[in-house]
Amino acid sequence: MLAIEPVVLAEPVQAMVVLEPKQAQHYPAEYNPKVHGPYDPARFYGKPDTPFGQVKLGELGAWFGRRDKNPRAAVGAVSRSFWRWQHKYWQPKRMGIAPFFQVIVGGMVFFYAINYGKLKHHRNYKYH
């Protein structure tokens, strides 16, 4: 039978990792609690820009050029949209039936899209 000897380290290993104050917070860099108040995940804290509905056709290229195009910005935009939808439909005190129908219709559209390749062969054509 083999005897297993314990390993003795020269220095004790610290199991706890100390985070810097900036790493401990998961807030956007533009968020300032003294200016903005309590954090709202549905709000964009960056520099305000012209809304898309108010952009003229000649300014459209410059407007898209000012957008942040990295994946983190896209994930942040989707997250803010989800929080806005959640605050409007799921979290009110007197919630209606609308969010249930929205989830059902969204699921129907999603499953139709992923099964479209199989469903398109079942079309009824006048001439075969």
Side-chain angles (χ1 to χ4, degrees):
M1 185 175 202
L2 294 172
I4 299 175
E5 296 180 16
V7 177
V8 179
L9 299 174
E11 296 180 18
V13 177
Q14 291 184 353
M16 191 168 145
V17 177
V18 178
L19 296 176
E20 295 293 324
K22 289 280 184 183
Q23 292 175 339
Q25 302 174 10
H26 295 289
Y27 298 128
E30 299 88 3
Y31 171 67
N32 184 355
K34 294 177 182 174
V35 174
H36 299 112
Y39 180 71
D40 182 13
R43 181 176 173 201
F44 178 65
Y45 289 102
K47 182 181 175 188
D49 198 4
T50 309
F52 181 71
Q54 297 176 1
V55 176
K56 297 176 183 169
L57 287 176
E59 302 170 352
L60 200 56
W63 187 84
F64 276 116
R66 291 191 301 264
R67 302 279 70 84
D68 192 6
K69 297 171 189 70
N70 64 17
R72 176 177 266 175
V75 169
V78 170
S79 174
R80 285 190 303 274
S81 300
F82 173 73
W83 274 99
R84 286 185 193 125
W85 178 80
Q86 193 177 26
H87 285 176
K88 185 174 182 180
Y89 292 107
W90 281 107
Q91 293 182 353
K93 287 184 180 178
R94 299 176 63 114
M95 182 179 73
I97 199 165
F100 298 108
F101 284 121
Q102 291 171 349
V103 169
I104 289 170
V105 169
M108 289 168 43
V109 169
F110 173 73
F111 282 106
Y112 181 79
I114 64 172
N115 290 315
Y116 180 74
K118 298 173 189 170
L119 295 173
K120 71 179 182 180
H121 299 297
H122 294 283
R123 293 180 185 160
N124 291 325
Y125 289 106
K126 187 173 181 180
Y127 302 105
H128 295 37

